[in-house]
Amino acid sequence: MKPGNLSMVLRRIIMRVLLAATAASVLVCNLSLANAQQKSGHSKKDAAAASNSAAEDNDYSKKIKEYTTQAYFKTELVDHLPMSDKVPSPDKVLGYVVGTPNKLTYSKDLYRYYRELAKASPRVKVFTASEKSEEGKEQLLVAVGDEAALAKLDRYKAITAKLADPRTIDDTEAQSLISEGKVFYWASGSIHSPETGSPEMLMELAYRLAVEDTPFIQAIRKNIIVLITPVLEVDGRDMMVDTYNYRKANPGKNSPSLVFWGKYVAHDNNRDGLGMALALSRNQMKTFLEYHPAILHDLHESVPFLYTSTGTGPYNAWLDPITIDEWQLLAYHEIEEMTKRGVPGVWTHGFYDGWAPNYMFYVANGHNAIGRFYETFGNGGADTMDRTVGAQSQRDWFRPNPPQPRVTWSIRNNINMQQSAILLAMNFVANNKDRFLNNFYIKSKRSVAKAKAEGPAAYVIPSDQARMVEAADMVNLLRLMGVEVHKADKEIVVKDQKFPAGSYVVRMDQPYSRMADMLMDTQYYNVNDPRPYDDTGWTLGALRNVKTMRVTDQSILQAPMTMLTADAKVQGKLTGSASTAAYIINHNTDNTLATLRFRLKDVKMDAAEDSFKVGDQQFNAGSFIIKTEGNPDDIRQRLDSAASELGFNALAVDKLPTVKTHALSVPRIAILHTWTNTQNDGWYRIEFDRFQVPYDYISDQVVRNTPNLRDKYDVIIFPPLGGSAQSIVNGIPMRGDPIPWKQSEVTPNMGLSPDQTDDMRGGMGLAGVMNLQKFVQDGGLFMVVSTNASIPINYGMTTGVGILEPRQLQARGSVFNARFTDRKSPIAYGYDETLPIYFNQAPLFQVQSQTAAFGGGGEGGAVGGGGRPSGRGSLTDGDIVQAMPQASPAPSRQPGRGGEEQLTEEQRRALGPYLVPVNQRPRVVLRFAQDEKSLLVSGMLAGGSELANAPAVIDVPVGKGHVVMFANNPMWRHQTQGSFFLVFNAAMNFDSLNTERAAPPPARNRESEDDDQ
Ligand SMILES: [Zn+2]
């Protein structure tokens, strides 16, 4: 996508104008075919005729034609703009027509336009979302409808609220509400910032809906109220306009790629539907629960020319099938209508699956409404350019009318396609208003009936579990999503299960039972299904390490329980002796314990190196011991108030427990990012900010330019990135001119980014790798996550760990069981024996007792093969070598990966200096479940033998410091709260990670087993 050549663009435009004139007559022919479609009785011919009336804004209409590259990339719905002497069209406020080449609009100007529109038209109202963006910007919601409808907005909100919760109405009342009510149809613009067209399009759509008087538009105004989110990712939009303007101001130079969108994440802002960690997700959720729109329509741009969502399947298994039918119904209506009008390239099905509920539009899908989206063709800016369409220009059963293989494309084409199709959908919904409201009502009713129909009856989050703070946080997430949560008044006894008083109960006889069910149930994704579009498993209780029980016995619905009317909160307290020697806090991996350590940074704390008892009370290894001696005088008060706020219990004891301890550090932490991608580190920053764990956010350039990193930091965390070790280390090539990411006159918003640079090029380079190696040698802790582990491994910073290429493994974004194999490691502090973790396909670690000089192999290197050499007999009936003395079969080896225990004395001798000494050997703290059959919690798994027993968390000693490697991603999309403490533990014990290193098991004497030889 290079900047367009202006004179070429002009020539093209002139040609297009000429072509458009000849194409117009073709369009009229197509329209006459379309007449039968309109149930309202208004033909499109009428609509077209009305739109050609004297009330047209001829100048604006002329520009639409001019900016559209082929006449068939527009329809009669958008080839003109109606004139109004009262209501300003976009060009009156902005100074340019929507879809003008090379023009993108900042959010402040979008908002200025909508406010002018609302001032001038009683058919438009503007509201502000309750939360500002992370960078402090407003998010707007615009309502457009009939003036009488907008005057009674509260009444229509009350109607949809009643249909959403049918427990208080009967069918008769519902039918009268349906006939009185209106559908809220909600269009949401640009959650994805490089997808630039929808914020422009929506301004024109709002104006058209407010002003145009064709029967087609009147039907929309009469029966539906259109809600518009002008731009959802406000921060990212303004960054995008900055980068685009930089590109325009610096022709011929390389321009910055959009390395920051919002403060934290980029494209994953549309994967926050399960975590709601971002303000934009919470705003959408609140808006849904306020209006109950029957349809939420999210506008994206990625494929040619207009993909309207249905998906390949497998579809989300917890949705009412009606929703899935409605996806098809609306999609095929749009395809038919657009195809009739001769518009090429409108299609469905073959993009995206429809499985995971982590997308923003699950605020609708998860709540009995319809969530849908478009992918239209964007140019990543507002240039007009020639584009080559790849495989999607091929005809297929779901794409009988494919996009053309080669096309000149403009932002106006994109706007025409989006606007035409969404108007067709709105008009269809308007003409079938009662049908959509009725479906919404039926779905709501069936959600309430779910407890007694398909079940389960409820989920219980028992109160007798280790992590009550985390449990409460999960409950509050459900409440944020509108799910009702109860608390058991007394012990609940159901078939085969018993839950103590105070347990949380999520009843399935409530309107949003499906959302709760899809979050808390387990997922099974067959590997033979189409390739998943995103994660395949997400079970909330497992990922948060919170015990969650699925209850099918309906008698639970009769148990006495009280609905929570405010967020759940765990009130911790400080108890015990007044003449205190120390305070003890059990380490249960509730994440607020990290907050405590960093908040009381002046307080000396110790970590117990083993579990111990005080009276009857059991304390886990890693429990905090805070002596009064040597600590501030007000320690009791400070602990007391922290306990109540953070939800932990502290026990004051007059005698120190007899357990070995070491000091619990307050490390100086850096989170490391590159200038190629910051998204995954954003999910880490979110958690560090939430739990108030301080850190510096440093780029790879800082690492490159700081020879003594150890002077500044104790811990450097490098969240995962795509790509090879070499591509990460090299960064953006040092070619061409410097590429700044920095606040300037033409890029005013970049100053809001979490980091800035004069030149994004050049990664950490070899100098950075060496600086990191020195940092670790000098006692620092370097944490690498997922594929980033290839950097210390491939650059020789560590020895004894390799990465295997999977042969059969298919494990895309799933939840797997893992178990702690070294519970004495401080990284395991506070945990139980097992932990479900999130893992996405790679890396497969292999621990070796030799350095890489010998290559990957060794024992256990041969995975997947199995079997035996070809010969006589069978798998169990051995081979016979002919006419020779017979040897006994080779000794059977322990399953597992190469390691010390696998080596014979003979092999050790042969390794010589390549044998890694015991005290430098990697320490495998956590492994995937040993048995292939017990690996999968949720998601997809095939070829699991490659993953079974593979290391998940490895601590590699290097010099005085450590490299800790994660195969799982412990901080993923605000969903893996159960794993956060792997990171916090490693950090707070960075200088004590060698604690209780187990002596390696004695070498097995293979000779004795092999004595037949
Ligand atoms: Zn998108």
Side-chain angles (χ1 to χ4, degrees):
M1 290 179 215
K2 291 180 187 111
N5 177 318
L6 191 63
S7 67
M8 284 221 349
V9 170
L10 278 175
R11 250 181 290 148
R12 263 185 241 129
I13 290 169
I14 292 162
M15 286 200 12
R16 260 168 248 138
V17 173
L18 293 172
L19 281 170
T22 52
S25 57
V26 178
L27 189 67
V28 172
C29 295
N30 287 338
L31 288 178
S32 60
L33 293 171
N35 285 351
Q37 187 61 28
Q38 292 306 97
K39 290 189 180 163
S40 64
H42 308 299
S43 73
K44 297 218 168 55
K45 205 173 172 185
D46 293 340
S51 70
N52 290 330
S53 71
E56 189 176 309
D57 182 336
N58 288 321
D59 291 343
Y60 197 107
S61 306
K62 232 172 77 190
K63 297 274 192 222
I64 293 174
K65 287 192 186 70
E66 184 185 333
Y67 301 152
T68 303
T69 64
Q70 293 286 352
Y72 49 72
F73 289 134
K74 56 183 166 48
T75 68
E76 86 288 0
L77 301 170
V78 301
D79 66 357
H80 64 279
L81 200 75
M83 180 74 102
S84 167
D85 50 7
K86 291 192 203 70
V87 184
S89 53
D91 56 323
K92 304 285 187 313
V93 174
L94 303 174
Y96 51 89
V97 162
V98 163
T100 298
N102 309 323
K103 286 276 185 202
L104 289 181
T105 312
Y106 278 116
S107 66
K108 66 174 175 17
D109 297 317
L110 299 172
Y111 292 175
R112 192 159 57 86
Y113 175 65
Y114 285 106
R115 290 191 159 118
E116 290 298 322
L117 191 60
K119 246 190 266 172
S121 171
R123 293 172 175 171
V124 181
K125 274 184 194 266
V126 172
F127 305 95
T128 312
S130 59
E131 281 187 66
K132 286 194 168 163
S133 74
E134 282 75 10
E135 286 168 359
K137 293 187 177 177
E138 269 187 326
Q139 190 186 304
L140 245 54
L141 181 75
V142 180
V144 189
D146 195 75
E147 49 263 58
L150 286 197
K152 281 169 53 185
L153 198 55
D154 285 342
R155 173 61 189 157
Y156 294 113
K157 280 155 71 171
I159 290 172
T160 50
K162 284 213 161 189
L163 297 174
D165 182 358
R167 288 172 296 184
T168 59
I169 52 173
D170 59 22
D171 285 353
T172 319
E173 197 182 346
Q175 290 314 314
S176 94
L177 289 170
I178 286 166
S179 79
E180 182 193 347
K182 294 191 192 293
V183 173
F184 289 101
Y185 193 117
W186 183 10
S188 187
S190 196
I191 187 172
H192 285 160
S193 306
E195 301 164 14
T196 54
S198 62
E200 312 289 339
M201 182 279 282
L202 288 167
M203 290 188 285
E204 188 176 290
L205 177 74
Y207 174 80
R208 192 181 300 282
L209 288 171
V211 167
E212 189 153 311
D213 272 325
T214 57
F216 183 94
I217 297 290
Q218 280 170 347
I220 295 175
R221 272 204 306 268
K222 178 163 172 272
N223 285 328
I224 72 181
I225 296 170
V226 172
L227 299 177
I228 291 171
T229 297
V231 56
L232 187 50
E233 175 59 89
V234 188
D235 298 328
R237 169 69 181 188
D238 289 341
M239 296 289 174
M240 180 64 203
V241 181
D242 275 7
T243 61
Y244 184 70
N245 290 345
Y246 179 92
R247 202 201 299 173
K248 291 282 139 191
N250 294 277
K253 285 190 180 179
N254 291 317
S255 54
S257 61
L258 199 62
V259 71
F260 290 106
W261 298 16
K263 180 178 177 185
Y264 294 116
V265 300
H267 190 270
D268 262 11
N269 58 9
N270 198 28
R271 300 295 183 278
D272 189 39
L274 286 171
M276 302 257 141
L278 303 171
L280 64 85
S281 309
R282 293 188 295 268
N283 282 338
Q284 295 293 89
M285 193 66 253
K286 280 181 199 149
T287 301
F288 180 87
L289 294 173
E290 184 180 346
Y291 291 90
H292 302 96
I295 296 141
L296 167 52
H297 193 145
D298 200 21
L299 297 163
H300 291 261
E301 293 163 22
S302 71
V303 295
F305 289 61
L306 192 153
Y307 169 87
T308 174
S309 65
T310 50
T312 58
Y315 290 142
N316 184 290
W318 295 264
L319 294 175
D320 192 310
I322 294 174
T323 300
I324 290 158
D325 295 339
E326 288 170 324
W327 292 346
Q328 321 291 329
L329 176 72
L330 288 162
Y332 278 101
H333 176 76
E334 291 158 342
I335 293 167
E336 183 188 350
E337 289 299 318
M338 293 291 278
T339 305
K340 272 182 196 167
R341 286 163 170 77
V343 181
V346 183
W347 55 288
T348 189
H349 178 80
F351 174 88
Y352 157 86
D353 51 21
W355 175 247
N358 53 8
Y359 307 95
M360 181 281 288
F361 68 174
Y362 265 75
V363 305
N365 279 324
H367 295 80
N368 301 319
I370 304 163
R372 59 196 310 261
F373 65 93
Y374 287 160
E375 299 285 349
T376 58
F377 206 31
N379 281 347
D383 298 348
T384 302
M385 56 170 83
D386 292 333
R387 300 286 303 272
T388 301
V389 172
Q392 280 142 342
S393 68
Q394 282 170 22
R395 203 143 47 119
D396 211 323
W397 68 262
F398 52 83
R399 204 161 41 215
N401 166 23
Q404 298 136 321
R406 184 91 181 137
V407 67
T408 301
W409 198 253
S410 69
I411 190 171
R412 185 67 220 187
N413 291 8
N414 181 11
I415 286 164
N416 292 344
M417 299 273 285
Q418 289 183 18
Q419 193 177 176
S420 299
I422 203 169
L423 279 169
L424 289 163
M426 286 172 174
N427 179 263
F428 180 74
V429 172
N431 293 335
N432 294 277
K433 185 258 299 177
D434 289 4
R435 173 181 176 180
F436 283 97
L437 284 178
N438 197 42
N439 280 358
F440 180 55
Y441 168 65
I442 291 170
K443 286 188 278 181
S444 305
K445 250 179 42 166
R446 299 199 320 191
S447 288
V448 177
K450 174 181 168 65
K452 292 185 175 159
E454 67 270 29
Y459 285 87
V460 177
I461 302 156
S463 60
D464 59 346
Q465 62 179 309
R467 281 163 289 279
M468 281 312 284
V469 175
E470 200 49 59
D473 194 67
M474 187 168 98
V475 160
N476 294 338
L477 172 66
L478 292 168
R479 284 175 40 78
L480 177 65
M481 294 178 171
V483 175
E484 295 169 357
V485 182
H486 289 73
K487 221 169 175 174
D489 295 341
K490 52 185 194 190
E491 187 184 59
I492 297 179
V493 183
V494 295
K495 192 167 172 284
D496 304 330
Q497 286 166 306
K498 212 152 86 170
F499 307 109
S503 294
Y504 299 110
V505 183
V506 184
R507 304 172 63 104
M508 291 291 113
D509 57 350
Q510 61 165 311
Y512 303 141
S513 60
R514 294 191 194 284
M515 189 79 221
D517 195 24
M518 73 179 77
L519 295 182
M520 289 191 282
D521 208 349
T522 49
Q523 293 82 41
Y524 178 81
Y525 195 106
N526 189 311
V527 292
N528 298 315
D529 269 328
R531 195 175 187 276
Y533 191 75
D534 204 80
D535 283 345
T536 57
W538 53 81
T539 308
L540 223 62
L543 287 178
R544 289 178 172 243
N545 202 15
V546 168
K547 193 162 52 167
T548 306
M549 311 300 286
R550 186 173 188 267
V551 180
T552 52
D553 182 352
Q554 293 169 19
S555 72
I556 193 169
L557 301 170
Q558 268 73 57
M561 58 180 85
T562 308
M563 191 162 86
L564 296 185
T565 53
D567 272 354
K569 174 147 177 51
V570 178
Q571 200 96 38
K573 55 183 185 297
L574 190 157
T575 54
S577 141
S579 61
T580 307
Y583 303 91
I584 310 176
I585 298 161
N586 184 37
H587 193 343
N588 61 356
T589 72
D590 259 337
N591 293 309
T592 44
L593 290 177
T595 313
L596 171 74
R597 169 67 285 199
F598 287 88
R599 183 179 294 179
L600 273 55
K601 57 179 185 292
D602 59 321
V603 173
K604 295 192 190 79
M605 299 186 186
D606 293 317
E609 295 186 354
D610 205 342
S611 59
F612 62 96
K613 267 188 160 182
V614 177
D616 292 341
Q617 219 176 321
Q618 181 73 35
F619 289 88
N620 292 331
S623 289
F624 297 16
I625 298 174
I626 303 158
K627 295 177 198 146
T628 42
E629 198 189 318
N631 265 322
D633 291 342
D634 61 351
I635 180 70
R636 190 179 186 104
Q637 295 92 294
R638 286 166 71 189
L639 277 176
D640 195 29
S641 79
S644 119
E645 187 202 328
L646 302 175
F648 61 85
N649 292 323
L651 179 67
V653 293
D654 52 15
K655 207 169 113 247
L656 285 173
T658 47
V659 62
K660 264 177 80 183
T661 62
H662 63 253
L664 200 54
S665 294
V666 184
R668 300 163 300 168
I669 299 174
I671 294 179
L672 172 58
H673 76 90
T674 67
W675 285 103
T676 53
N677 198 320
T678 62
Q679 163 142 300
N680 290 339
D681 69 64
W683 291 117
Y684 282 70
R685 286 182 281 125
I686 281 188
E687 308 307 348
F688 277 69
D689 287 349
R690 282 172 87 96
F691 292 108
Q692 299 159 37
V693 177
Y695 62 92
D696 281 357
Y697 186 48
I698 62 169
S699 80
D700 48 7
Q701 299 174 344
V702 172
V703 166
R704 181 179 72 206
N705 299 326
T706 310
N708 205 345
L709 288 162
R710 190 68 189 90
D711 285 351
K712 296 180 83 173
Y713 302 111
D714 303 310
V715 175
I716 296 175
I717 303 171
F718 198 13
L721 282 162
S724 65
Q726 288 82 351
S727 70
I728 295 168
V729 166
N730 290 342
I732 300 171
M734 293 295 293
R735 299 193 186 102
D737 297 295
I739 306 173
W741 184 279
K742 205 180 177 184
Q743 184 166 21
S744 70
E745 214 164 294
V746 76
T747 57
N749 294 287
M750 286 185 186
L752 297 169
S753 293
D755 202 0
Q756 297 184 60
T757 181
D758 291 326
D759 189 1
M760 297 166 79
R761 298 172 309 155
M764 69 176 75
L766 289 176
V769 174
M770 287 172 74
N771 290 340
L772 280 169
Q773 181 168 30
K774 184 168 173 354
F775 166 79
V776 177
Q777 291 280 1
D778 291 350
L781 165 62
F782 184 37
M783 281 195 242
V784 285
V785 183
S786 181
T787 43
N788 278 4
S790 62
I791 294 173
I793 293 171
N794 291 1
Y795 283 93
M797 200 185 290
T798 58
T799 55
V801 183
I803 296 178
L804 290 172
E805 277 306 314
R807 298 180 198 176
Q808 271 116 32
L809 180 69
Q810 292 188 63
R812 306 230 166 253
S814 304
V815 190
F816 295 106
N817 282 309
R819 67 186 209 290
F820 287 94
T821 43
D822 187 344
R823 298 190 70 201
K824 293 287 165 73
S825 164
I827 298 171
Y829 281 171
Y831 280 106
D832 312 325
E833 276 171 36
T834 58
L835 177 70
I837 53 177
Y838 170 86
F839 172 76
N840 186 14
Q841 193 61 27
L844 274 181
F845 288 136
Q846 183 188 31
V847 173
Q848 302 154 322
S849 46
Q850 72 244 33
T851 55
F854 279 132
E859 300 287 326
V863 276
R868 45 155 275 192
S870 304
R872 74 151 294 279
S874 68
L875 252 186
T876 47
D877 184 11
D879 200 6
I880 293 175
V881 180
Q882 303 298 305
M884 283 290 146
Q886 303 302 304
S888 66
S892 64
R893 304 261 157 100
Q894 289 287 81
R897 319 258 149 189
E900 167 65 19
E901 70 277 9
Q902 300 286 332
L903 292 181
T904 62
E905 279 302 328
E906 183 189 345
Q907 287 170 321
R908 281 188 192 217
R909 274 195 303 275
L911 283 167
Y914 293 98
L915 183 69
V916 182
V918 172
N919 63 355
Q920 288 166 32
R921 255 169 226 158
R923 189 174 182 181
V924 180
V925 180
L926 185 72
R927 282 182 188 271
F928 287 92
Q930 193 159 9
D931 172 17
E932 184 181 350
K933 289 196 190 71
S934 53
L935 259 178
L936 183 67
V937 177
S938 271
M940 166 202 272
L941 179 65
S945 63
E946 291 180 296
L947 188 63
N949 210 35
V953 179
I954 309 174
D955 166 17
V956 193
V958 178
K960 285 190 245 161
H962 293 258
V963 174
V964 170
M965 302 173 177
F966 295 87
N968 61 313
N969 187 346
M971 289 188 172
W972 175 241
R973 292 177 174 172
H974 198 56
Q975 293 173 31
T976 56
Q977 280 79 350
S979 308
F980 290 177
F981 236 106
L982 296 171
V983 175
F984 293 143
N985 272 338
M988 298 191 309
N989 296 280
F990 82 95
D991 49 357
S992 305
L993 287 176
N994 283 332
T995 300
E996 298 277 324
R997 273 181 75 93
R1004 283 167 53 200
N1005 189 348
R1006 283 275 160 72
E1007 279 81 357
S1008 70
E1009 291 172 17
D1010 298 354
D1011 57 2
D1012 282 355
Q1013 287 189 358

